């Protein structure tokens, strides 16, 4: 006899975070082995846990705090496996996901606004533009969260009614880099107040952007982030991996994928997270389309003993050709969410022995992986990395070879 499956049983969590029943219904905030009751309620199963944050379900920052560690890890694995399966692919080795711990996020983007007599500072609400006034956060590093209370007090006096401000906070070598956008101080008194706030709270840098680009108000010493043991200047709003431990997982997997390749191309290199992590005896060509990021990397490379050549290059409009790529023993690429269709097309026509593709979007990664595999590459290993804890986002490190 064939066992019948309970149609009200939640079997898995879909890509957008909803639980899915055996008969295909989607149920928000449900976990595997939960069950729908006859009145439409949810009977919690063994994988459903109490969320640690008071803002869960109202805040858009986390949507999967109700999953236990086992089912969350399975969700991350499935996100990658199903995306590859959709392209008819499977990795020879799919590693268990590495998940960052709570309260380790080193960067955060928030909103602030005055609404009548109320002032709110926090993340956007789930599926809305409403601001959740944060009183608790289980993902931000404590240094960032501890700044919210004094920042809320300070911004109350600066906010204009119904005029949102955007707040970017990043932990750098010198402390917290704070950027307040959609705000421009009016007069000397407000500028002095900004400097006083920055000094009182030990900020590494405080900048404002009134619509014409960031303007530094306070920076007692040049702001840097250390990559591979080398301080690299940190431009305003530059990209960094969201957690230190997640970054180390990505780097470790990248090193395994690249191996002892002597000449390496790092494409979409950013500030050089992977460039600077390679061995000193490996020669590196680093290409990046953001001028401020590649400028910072080039300056850092010039002050190091590493053999690094940097080029400002838009790899979407001017990807490296197959002939250019053939000079390299290995290629690393870490494109934005849209993937690297144009560059992958050239890679597929090249003779590069090893490719390490790092992605933050399983769908675009699977699409590009299909292009490489159709050209004769083998997808050897995939490492899922959950740096955005309790969210539906997953990052991927992968290795391809002929």
């Amino acid at each position: 006899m064939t066992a019948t499956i309970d149609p009200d049983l939640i079997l898995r969590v879909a890509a957008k975070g909803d639980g899915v029943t055996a008969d295909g219904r989607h149920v928000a905030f449900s976990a595997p082995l939960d069950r729908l009751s006859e009145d439409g309620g949810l009977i919690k199963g063994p994988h459903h846990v109490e969320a640690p944050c008071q803002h869960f379900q109202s805040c858009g920052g986390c949507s999967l705090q109700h999953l236990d560690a086992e089912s969350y890890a399975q969700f991350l694995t499935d996100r990658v496996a199903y995306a590859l399966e959709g392209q008819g692919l499977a990795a020879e080795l799919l590693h268990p996901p590495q998940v960052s711990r709570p309260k380790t996020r080193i960067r955060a983007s928030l909103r602030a606004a005055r609404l009548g007599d109320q002032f709110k500072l926090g993340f956007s609400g789930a599926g809305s533009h409403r601001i959740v006034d944060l009183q608790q956060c289980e993902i931000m590093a404590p240094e960032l969260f501890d700044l919210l209370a004094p920042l809320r007090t300070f911004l109350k006096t600066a906010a204009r009614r119904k005029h949102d401000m955007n707040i970017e906070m990043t932990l750098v070598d010198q402390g917290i880099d704070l950027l307040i956008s959609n705000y421009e101080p009016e007069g000397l008194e407000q500028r002095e107040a900004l400097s006083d706030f920055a000094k009182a709270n030990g900020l590494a840098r405080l900048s404002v952007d009134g619509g014409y680009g960031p303007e530094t108000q306070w920076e007692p010493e040049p702001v840097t982030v250390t990559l591979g043991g080398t301080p690299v200047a940190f431009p305003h709003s530059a990209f960094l991996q969201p957690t230190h431990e997640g970054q180390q997982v990505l780097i470790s997997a990248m090193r395994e994928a690249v191996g002892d390749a002597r000449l390496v191309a790092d494409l979409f290199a950013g500030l050089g997270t992977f460039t600077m992590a390679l061995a000193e005896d490996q020669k590196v060509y680093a290409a990046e389309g953001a001028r401020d990021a590649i400028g910072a990397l080039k300056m850092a490379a010039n002050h190091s003993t590493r053999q690094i050549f940097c080029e400002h290059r838009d790899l979407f409009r001017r990807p490296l050709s197959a002939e250019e790529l053939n000079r390299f023993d290995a290629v690393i690429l870490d494109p934005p969410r849209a993937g690297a269709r144009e560059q992958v097309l050239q890679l597929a026509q090249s003779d590069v022995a090893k490719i390490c593709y790092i992605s933050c979007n399983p769908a675009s990664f699977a699409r590009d992986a299909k292009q490489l595999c159709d050209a004769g590459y083998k997808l050897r290993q995939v490492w899922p990395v959950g740096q955005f804890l309790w969210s539906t986002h997953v990052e991927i490190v992968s290795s391809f070879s002929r």
Side-chain angles (χ1 to χ4, degrees):
M1 288 180 61
T2 302
T4 58
I5 299 176
D6 183 348
D8 294 325
L9 191 68
I10 304 294
L11 297 183
R12 62 182 180 88
V13 180
K16 293 184 179 181
D18 291 343
V20 183
T21 62
D23 59 2
R25 287 171 290 170
H26 285 237
V27 183
F29 304 115
S30 61
L33 301 187
D34 286 354
R35 187 178 176 279
L36 292 178
S37 62
E38 291 183 0
D39 62 359
L42 190 67
I43 302 171
K44 296 178 181 178
H47 297 291
H48 199 125
V49 298
E50 290 300 316
C53 181
Q54 63 181 292
H55 301 299
F56 178 60
Q57 295 192 21
S58 61
C59 176
C62 302
S63 58
L64 297 175
Q65 284 191 356
H66 60 290
L67 299 185
D68 67 0
E70 178 186 345
S71 55
Y72 182 60
Q74 187 63 52
F75 167 77
L76 297 178
T77 298
D78 290 346
R79 285 275 283 129
V80 178
Y82 291 158
L84 289 171
E85 186 180 300
Q87 296 288 346
L89 303 176
E92 292 179 4
L93 177 57
L94 177 57
H95 292 270
Q98 298 294 310
V99 182
S100 295
R101 293 170 295 125
K103 298 184 179 181
T104 58
R105 189 81 62 82
I106 64 167
R107 56 184 178 89
S109 297
L110 304 100
R111 293 169 54 220
R114 177 185 295 283
L115 301 169
D117 294 332
Q118 289 188 321
F119 179 82
K120 294 186 176 183
L121 170 63
F123 294 119
S124 294
S128 75
H129 294 290
R130 178 177 51 85
I131 298 174
V132 175
D133 196 37
L134 282 187
Q135 305 301 316
Q136 179 183 358
C137 185
E138 295 299 309
I139 57 171
M140 271 194 273
E143 298 95 320
L144 297 183
F145 182 77
D146 289 347
L147 183 63
L148 295 190
L151 182 60
R152 185 180 284 109
T153 300
F154 174 77
L155 290 179
K156 280 181 182 178
T157 63
R160 287 174 284 169
R161 194 175 180 208
K162 295 184 179 179
H163 190 77
D164 282 15
M165 291 182 283
N166 297 312
I167 313 296
E168 293 181 42
M169 300 189 297
T170 307
L171 273 180
V172 294
D173 292 341
Q174 295 75 18
I176 297 176
D177 179 29
L178 177 66
L179 171 61
I180 307 170
S181 298
N182 208 18
Y183 166 69
E184 186 172 2
E186 298 176 358
L188 179 60
E189 184 176 340
Q190 286 193 12
R191 291 185 182 275
E192 289 177 341
L194 282 167
S195 297
D196 290 342
F197 173 81
K199 185 177 181 180
N201 289 279
L203 298 186
R205 179 170 63 191
L206 191 157
S207 311
V208 297
D209 185 348
Y212 299 98
E215 178 186 348
T216 301
Q217 303 292 311
W218 170 267
E219 188 178 14
E221 60 179 291
V223 169
T224 61
V225 290
T226 297
L227 300 173
T230 301
V232 181
F234 185 66
H236 293 289
S237 301
F239 175 79
L240 277 183
Q241 294 298 332
T243 69
H244 290 308
E245 58 185 344
Q247 177 175 297
Q248 288 308 308
V249 171
L250 297 179
I251 286 172
S252 177
M254 177 276 295
R255 286 173 174 159
E256 184 172 341
V258 169
D260 58 359
R262 303 296 299 171
L263 186 58
V264 181
D266 185 7
L267 309 182
F268 307 95
L271 292 174
T273 298
F274 301 109
T275 294
M276 304 304 283
L278 290 164
E280 292 206 11
D281 62 350
Q282 290 177 296
K283 296 181 180 180
V284 189
Y285 162 81
E288 168 59 46
R291 191 180 297 275
D292 54 356
I294 197 66
L297 174 55
K298 185 174 183 178
M299 184 179 298
N302 289 342
H303 287 87
S304 76
T305 58
R306 301 170 187 269
Q307 301 179 77
I308 300 170
F309 174 77
C310 300
E311 182 181 13
H312 175 236
R313 183 162 178 164
D314 184 338
L315 294 168
F316 295 105
R317 296 183 179 181
R318 194 164 65 92
L320 268 69
S321 67
E323 291 74 19
E324 291 175 294
L325 291 164
N326 285 340
R327 296 178 296 169
F328 299 102
D329 303 310
V331 169
I332 303 165
L333 64 162
D334 181 16
R337 289 189 60 80
R341 188 193 300 267
E342 298 82 0
Q343 187 59 77
V344 165
L345 180 62
Q346 296 299 318
L347 271 169
Q349 301 173 47
S350 76
D351 297 323
V352 175
K354 298 177 179 179
I355 298 172
C356 176
Y357 192 136
I358 299 152
S359 171
C360 60
N361 183 346
S364 61
F365 165 71
R367 179 203 68 205
D368 290 346
K370 172 70 170 174
Q371 182 84 51
L372 292 173
C373 291
D374 284 350
Y377 281 95
K378 303 295 184 184
L379 178 54
R380 304 297 186 185
Q381 299 187 71
V382 170
W383 295 264
V385 183
Q387 290 199 83
F388 294 89
L389 180 62
W390 296 315
S391 80
T392 58
H393 296 292
V394 58
E395 291 175 284
I396 300 162
V397 187
S398 61
S399 65
F400 295 82
S401 63
R402 291 285 190 186

